[in-house]
Amino acid sequence: SASSSSHGGGQKEDRSSATNVVKWHPSSAKAAANEKMALEEKKREKMQLRKVIDGASAPKMTGSSRYDAVVSTSHSSINDQAGASAVHFGLGLLHACMKKSKFNIHDETTLMMADPYVPMLTRCVRDCNDNKVILLSLKCLGFLLKMDLPSVKGNAEKLGTFVLKLLTESGSVGDTKNEINQNCFRSLTLLLSLSNKDEQFKDPLNEKQMQALVGLLLAALSESEQNTATFNLIKSIISRRHISPEFYDMMEVILKLSVQSQNSSVRQQCCQIFMQFLIEYPMGKQRIEDHLKQIILNMKYEYEEGRLSAIGLVGALINKLPTPMIEEHAQLFFLPLVLQLVNDDSKKCRETVAESVGNLLKRLSFDTVQALYEYVVRWSSGSGVDALPLRRTSSQVFGIFVESRPDFVKRGSVTEDLVNLLQVSLTPSAAEDGTGTIEWELPYFTLICVEKIQNHFPSTMIAKNDLWMCIVKSLIHPHAWVKQASSRILKEHMINLSPKALIRSTKGPPKSFLVAVPGSLYEVARNLCFQLNAEDKEQVNGVNLLAIKSLTWIVSTMSTAPDLCFKDAGGGVGSDEHGDDGATDDEIGKDPVRWLMTRLSNISKARGPRRREAIFKCFAAFASSCDPAIITPHLELMIEPLNRTLVEISSKAQQSSRHRTQNGADEAELPKEVMELLEDQCGTEPFLNALAAVKSKAREKREKRKQEAAAEAVHDPAAAAQRKIRKQAHEKKRRKRRVEENRAMRGAYAKKNRVHY
C-alpha cells in the first residue's frame, strides 16, 4: 500500500510540474518585455554601429601614414554594394571632369594632380568586380595615358596584364556592344604606343601575352563588324614589329576582309594595315609573291566595292613599294591590270585601274617601259576578227603611255610609229567585226589616244593629213561617243588657228590639213551638218554643242578664205552625199557661206523639236560671234525656219487654249530670242526687210498650193478626191489624238469598253 501510495504521489507531482512549462520560440529569446523597451534596444544597437571600436577603423586624413588604411584593407570592401556605389560615383565625377574640361596636359600642376590616379585606377581594374567601375576606370585611364605622367612607367606592366586578363575572362571579345572590351583595346593601344615611342618604357606585355592578344584580335576580327579600336591596336602591334605565326595568319584574314567586308571603312583600314605589313615586315621572296598574287586575284571579286578596294590596294602598293621590287614584279602588275581595264564592267573600276597603270609606268625605268611597250605594239599589229579585242586593248594602253610617260613617247621614232598605228586603226576596214555590226570601241579608244597626242605633241600631228581625214570621216560614225571624240579633236585644232593665218600659210608650208588638203573645210562642215540632221532620238547635246562651236569658226573662215572649200581651181565643192542642199550650183560655187546657211535652213524645216533647237542655237551662235557683215546677206535663210516654227506654234495654240498656256510659250521662247538677237546684231531695217520678204514668199507659196489644188480638181478629179479623203482621215486622227491628250491633261481615265453578258 506504501509503494502504491508513493507511486500515486509521483504521478501527482508530475502533473503539477507540467503545468509550469511555457511555449518557446527562438525569436523570443531576447525579446523585450514591452514596446518601450524594444525601442530603447533598437536605439542602443544603432549607436553601437556608429561607435568606433578601435583606432585602426578611424580615418587618418593627415600625417605620413594617411595611405596605410588603403593599403592594409582588403579589396573585398570595394566589391560590396556600398563601396562599389561610392567608387562608381567618384569615378563618374572624375570622368565627366576630364571629358568636359579642357586640361593643359603639359602643365606641371595638372600633371602632379593627375599622377596619383594612375595606380588607384590600376587597382580598380585589378580588384573590382563591378563592370561599371571597371568601365569608368578604363575610360579615365584613356585620358591619363595620353599625358606624360611618371607613374605610368611603373604601372604599365601591371595594367597591361590586368587588361589582358579582363579580355581573356570576358569570353566575348568580338562583341562590339561590350564597351569594356573596346576600352581594353584602347588602353592596350595607348600602352603599346608609349612603348614604341620610348625605349626606356617597359613593355606592357611579354611575348606569350602578345601571342594571346593576337589570338583575341583574330577572334574579334571574325566576330565583330565595327573594329575601330581593334584596328588601332593592330596598327600599334605592327609598329612594335611583333613577329609570330599567329600574327602572319591574322594578316591573311585582314587581306580577306579588305575585299569581302561590307563596311567601306573596314575595307579601307584593312588595306592600310596590310600595306604597312607588306612594306615593313620581314618576309621571304615566296611569301611576298604569294601575297602579291592574292592581291591581284582580288581584283576579280564579284562585287564592285570589293574590286575597288583591291584595285586601290594595288595602286597604293605601286606607289609605296621600293623601286627595285616594282621593277622585279612589273609584268606581274602590268598584265593583270590591263586585263582588268578591258574586261571590267564598272566605270569607276576602269578609271582606277587606268590610274594605277599610269602610276606603274611612271615608276619604271626606260628599259622596262620599252619592254612593256613592245608587248602593246604586238597586240596592235594583229589582223582579222580574232585580233580585234587585242587591238582595242592596245589603243587604250597607248593612251596611258602617252599621258603617263611623254618623255618615253617623244624619244626617237616612237611618236611617228604610234601615229601610223593609230591611223591604221581609224580606217573603216579596221573596225569590221565580221558580224555586220559597226565596231565603235576601236575607233573611240583610238581617237582618245589621238587627242592625248595632240595635247602633248601638237607638232607631230601637223603633217599627218591622212590621219586628219580619217578623223573627219569619224564625224559621221553612227555611235555618239565616236562623233563626240572626233568633234572635240577638230574643234581644239580649229580654234587655235586664225583664218588670216590660214591665208598666209598657203604661200609657205601648210600649218593645217585644212590648207594641205583641198576641200577639207567643206568636208568638215558637211559632216557637222550631218550630225545636226540626226533624228530626235539620236540627238546628243554634247555632240550638238561641239558642232555649233566648230561651225561658228567655219563660217568666219569660209568668209575670209573661201578657196579652202574648193577641191579644184574651178571652184567646185563636190557633191553632198547626205542630203540636198536646196541651193543651185552657181550659188554654192560662188559663196560657201550661202551653201552652209541654206543647208542649215533646210535641216530646220524638218519636224523634230530637238533638231530645230540645235539649228536655232547655231543661228544664235552665228549672231553672237560672227561679224554682222557675214550673216546679214543671209538673214532670210535664218528667219524662214524661225518664222515657220512660230506660225506652227500659233496655229496649234488657236486649236487648244490649254496647249497654248502650257507648252506653246516654252516652244516659242527660243525662236523669239533668236530673232531678237538677229535684229540687235544686224540692225532693225535689214531684219524687217528680210522678215517681210520671208512672209511674202510664204503667202505666195500658200496661194500657189491653193491654185494647184483648184487646177487639180478640174483636170484630175480622181486625184483631187483621193487628196480630200487622205486629208479627212488625217484630220480625224488629229482630232482623236487631241481629245485623248486633253483627257490625259485633265487627269481623266481612258474610256473603257463595255462588256455585255
Side-chain angles (χ1 to χ4, degrees):
S1 63
S3 62
S4 62
S5 62
S6 63
H7 182 70
Q11 291 178 350
K12 291 179 182 179
E13 290 176 1
D14 291 340
R15 291 190 186 98
S16 62
S17 62
T19 57
N20 294 329
V21 176
V22 296
K23 189 176 182 181
W24 179 82
H25 295 284
S27 59
S28 61
K30 296 182 179 180
N34 50 40
E35 184 177 358
K36 183 178 180 181
M37 294 179 64
L39 292 174
E40 291 178 355
E41 184 66 24
K42 185 176 182 180
K43 187 182 295 185
R44 192 180 302 111
E45 289 178 357
K46 287 184 178 180
M47 293 296 295
Q48 190 70 21
L49 290 174
R50 297 178 183 176
K51 185 178 179 181
V52 178
I53 300 176
D54 55 355
S57 300
K60 297 181 177 63
M61 302 303 294
T62 59
S64 60
S65 60
R66 59 184 179 273
Y67 295 115
D68 292 347
V70 178
V71 176
S72 61
T73 55
S74 174
H75 64 267
S76 60
S77 60
I78 201 176
N79 290 322
D80 59 13
Q81 186 175 2
S85 300
V87 174
H88 179 264
F89 177 74
L91 290 175
L93 293 178
L94 178 62
H95 179 257
C97 180
M98 288 190 293
K99 184 177 180 180
K100 295 182 179 180
S101 302
K102 297 181 180 180
F103 292 111
N104 184 8
I105 60 175
H106 302 290
D107 185 23
E108 295 183 359
T109 305
T110 304
L111 296 178
M112 291 177 61
M113 295 175 61
D115 189 62
Y117 284 102
V118 176
M120 287 189 289
L121 293 173
T122 303
R123 286 193 293 271
C124 288
V125 174
R126 179 192 63 185
D127 298 335
C128 188
N129 296 330
D130 193 339
N131 290 337
K132 296 181 180 179
V133 174
I134 295 174
L135 179 59
L136 285 174
S137 301
L138 292 172
K139 288 183 177 180
C140 294
L141 284 170
F143 288 99
L144 297 176
L145 291 176
K146 297 177 182 178
M147 303 180 184
D148 188 12
L149 301 177
S151 60
V152 174
K153 294 182 180 180
N155 293 273
E157 185 177 3
K158 297 178 182 178
L159 181 58
T161 303
F162 299 153
V163 172
L164 183 62
K165 184 179 179 182
L166 279 176
L167 288 172
T168 307
E169 294 176 351
S170 64
S172 58
V173 181
D175 187 8
T176 54
K177 297 181 181 179
N178 191 341
E179 292 188 47
I180 295 180
N181 294 338
Q182 298 299 309
N183 282 277
C184 286
F185 285 153
R186 294 189 183 97
S187 300
L188 290 174
T189 302
L190 293 172
L191 291 174
L192 291 175
S193 300
L194 293 174
S195 176
N196 296 332
K197 293 178 182 178
D198 190 358
E199 296 180 356
Q200 298 180 355
F201 195 91
K202 194 172 182 180
D203 293 337
L205 299 175
N206 55 32
E207 290 299 323
K208 291 185 178 180
Q209 291 175 333
M210 288 295 295
Q211 292 179 6
L213 177 61
V214 169
L216 294 173
L217 290 173
L218 184 60
L221 289 173
S222 303
E223 298 176 8
S224 57
E225 296 179 357
Q226 298 179 355
N227 296 311
T228 303
T230 307
F231 288 135
N232 292 334
L233 181 54
I234 294 174
K235 292 177 183 178
S236 299
I237 295 174
I238 293 178
S239 301
R240 193 174 182 267
R241 301 290 181 88
H242 169 70
I243 299 176
S244 65
E246 294 82 4
F247 187 76
Y248 282 87
D249 295 339
M250 185 176 66
M251 287 298 104
E252 294 182 359
V253 177
I254 291 287
L255 180 59
K256 183 179 178 181
L257 286 175
S258 67
V259 178
Q260 297 182 1
S261 177
Q262 298 181 358
N263 194 329
S264 59
S265 63
V266 172
R267 293 194 302 269
Q268 183 179 1
Q269 294 193 63
C270 286
C271 290
Q272 295 175 358
I273 291 172
F274 192 83
M275 182 181 66
Q276 185 180 2
F277 162 76
L278 195 62
I279 294 174
E280 298 181 359
Y281 263 66
M283 281 179 282
K285 183 177 180 180
Q286 186 61 40
R287 181 182 285 270
I288 291 177
E289 290 185 356
D290 292 342
H291 283 314
L292 292 178
K293 289 179 181 178
Q294 184 60 45
I295 293 172
I296 291 171
L297 286 175
N298 288 342
M299 293 192 301
K300 298 181 180 180
Y301 189 63
E302 181 181 3
Y303 299 103
E304 178 185 358
E305 292 81 4
R307 294 199 305 274
L308 278 173
S309 179
I311 296 169
L313 179 57
V314 172
L317 289 175
I318 290 173
N319 294 328
K320 297 293 184 180
L321 286 178
T323 303
M325 186 179 293
I326 291 291
E327 292 280 349
E328 182 181 359
H329 300 90
Q331 294 186 5
L332 180 63
F333 283 112
F334 181 74
L335 297 177
L337 283 172
V338 170
L339 290 176
Q340 194 68 26
L341 174 65
V342 177
N343 298 324
D344 205 311
D345 297 332
S346 172
K347 182 181 178 181
K348 293 181 181 179
C349 292
R350 290 196 301 270
E351 291 176 352
T352 310
V353 170
E355 183 180 359
S356 301
V357 174
N359 294 333
L360 175 63
L361 295 176
K362 290 177 182 178
R363 296 204 60 192
L364 296 177
S365 62
F366 270 88
D367 296 335
T368 309
V369 173
Q370 178 67 36
L372 298 178
Y373 183 78
E374 290 176 357
Y375 277 120
V376 185
V377 171
R378 285 198 294 269
W379 296 343
S380 64
S381 60
S383 60
V385 180
D386 297 335
L388 193 58
L390 287 177
R391 298 180 66 184
R392 287 197 297 260
T393 305
S394 64
S395 299
Q396 290 181 263
V397 181
F398 279 146
I400 299 176
F401 270 95
V402 173
E403 197 169 17
S404 60
R405 292 302 298 266
D407 55 337
F408 169 78
V409 175
K410 70 179 181 181
R411 189 180 184 184
S413 61
V414 176
T415 308
E416 293 289 336
D417 297 339
L418 178 57
V419 171
N420 294 332
L421 289 172
L422 295 175
Q423 180 180 338
V424 174
S425 299
L426 273 181
T427 56
S429 60
E432 294 178 356
D433 59 357
T435 61
T437 58
I438 300 177
E439 167 69 18
W440 68 269
E441 290 180 297
L442 178 59
Y444 173 73
F445 293 125
T446 304
L447 289 170
I448 295 298
C449 186
V450 170
E451 184 179 11
K452 294 178 180 179
I453 293 176
Q454 184 187 13
N455 294 332
H456 289 87
F457 315 106
S459 59
T460 308
M461 296 284 295
I462 293 178
K464 301 297 180 180
N465 298 327
D466 294 337
L467 178 61
W468 281 111
M469 295 310 297
C470 290
I471 297 173
V472 173
K473 292 179 181 178
S474 299
L475 290 172
I476 57 175
H477 194 279
H479 201 279
W481 290 7
V482 180
K483 291 180 184 178
Q484 190 166 3
S486 56
S487 300
R488 190 167 56 244
I489 295 172
L490 289 171
K491 191 262 296 184
E492 292 297 329
H493 174 70
M494 289 187 295
I495 62 175
N496 295 324
L497 299 174
S498 173
K500 296 181 180 180
L502 290 177
I503 297 176
R504 291 194 297 268
S505 66
T506 56
K507 302 177 182 179
K511 297 182 179 180
S512 172
F513 77 99
L514 298 174
V515 179
V517 181
S520 57
L521 183 62
Y522 166 76
E523 296 289 339
V524 175
R526 184 187 65 180
N527 291 346
L528 291 174
C529 291
F530 182 73
Q531 288 183 356
L532 297 177
N533 197 22
E535 297 294 334
D536 271 17
K537 61 182 180 180
E538 299 177 359
Q539 292 281 341
V540 180
N541 292 331
V543 176
N544 292 342
L545 181 61
L546 291 171
I548 291 170
K549 291 181 178 180
S550 300
L551 287 173
T552 304
W553 182 89
I554 289 174
V555 166
S556 301
T557 307
M558 282 181 171
S559 177
T560 306
D563 295 338
L564 297 178
C565 301
F566 305 137
K567 287 185 177 181
D568 50 30
V573 297
S575 61
D576 193 343
E577 302 174 0
H578 304 289
D580 184 19
D581 291 334
T584 63
D585 295 338
D586 294 338
E587 292 176 340
I588 296 172
K590 293 178 182 179
D591 191 358
V593 177
R594 182 170 182 80
W595 164 82
L596 180 58
M597 293 295 184
T598 305
R599 182 67 192 275
L600 294 175
S601 179
N602 292 336
I603 291 173
S604 61
K605 291 177 183 178
R607 293 186 180 275
R610 300 187 66 183
R611 178 170 16 197
R612 289 183 175 179
E613 180 182 356
I615 300 299
F616 295 162
K617 288 181 179 179
C618 191
F619 289 161
F622 292 166
S624 301
S625 302
C626 297
D627 189 0
I630 299 175
I631 61 175
T632 300
H634 313 289
L635 274 176
E636 292 185 18
L637 294 173
M638 291 187 286
I639 293 176
E640 183 180 359
L642 295 169
N643 181 67
R644 178 193 292 258
T645 303
L646 292 175
V647 171
E648 290 179 357
I649 293 173
S650 62
S651 62
K652 290 181 180 178
Q654 292 176 1
Q655 295 173 3
S656 175
S657 59
R658 185 184 298 274
H659 181 75
R660 181 182 67 247
T661 56
Q662 293 185 0
N663 298 329
D666 296 337
E667 293 178 0
E669 183 176 359
L670 179 61
K672 289 181 179 179
E673 290 179 357
V674 176
M675 293 183 72
E676 291 175 359
L677 185 60
L678 290 173
E679 183 179 2
D680 294 339
Q681 296 296 324
C682 300
T684 303
E685 184 176 356
F687 175 81
L688 292 178
N689 293 334
L691 181 60
V694 168
K695 291 183 178 181
S696 176
K697 290 181 180 180
R699 281 195 304 270
E700 291 177 359
K701 288 182 180 180
R702 197 161 48 248
E703 294 295 334
K704 185 178 180 180
R705 285 196 300 269
K706 290 182 180 180
Q707 293 177 2
E708 291 177 353
E712 185 181 26
V714 175
H715 297 94
D716 193 355
Q722 291 295 330
R723 180 193 294 272
K724 288 183 179 180
I725 292 173
R726 289 195 300 269
K727 184 177 180 180
Q728 291 174 358
H730 178 73
E731 184 67 19
K732 184 177 180 181
K733 291 181 180 179
R734 188 193 64 79
R735 287 198 300 267
K736 184 177 180 181
R737 184 177 64 253
R738 184 65 64 196
V739 170
E740 292 177 354
E741 290 177 357
N742 292 336
R743 288 176 60 86
M745 293 172 66
R746 292 196 305 269
Y749 293 99
K751 186 177 180 180
K752 298 181 179 179
N753 296 327
R754 295 183 179 181
V755 180
H756 300 281
Y757 296 98

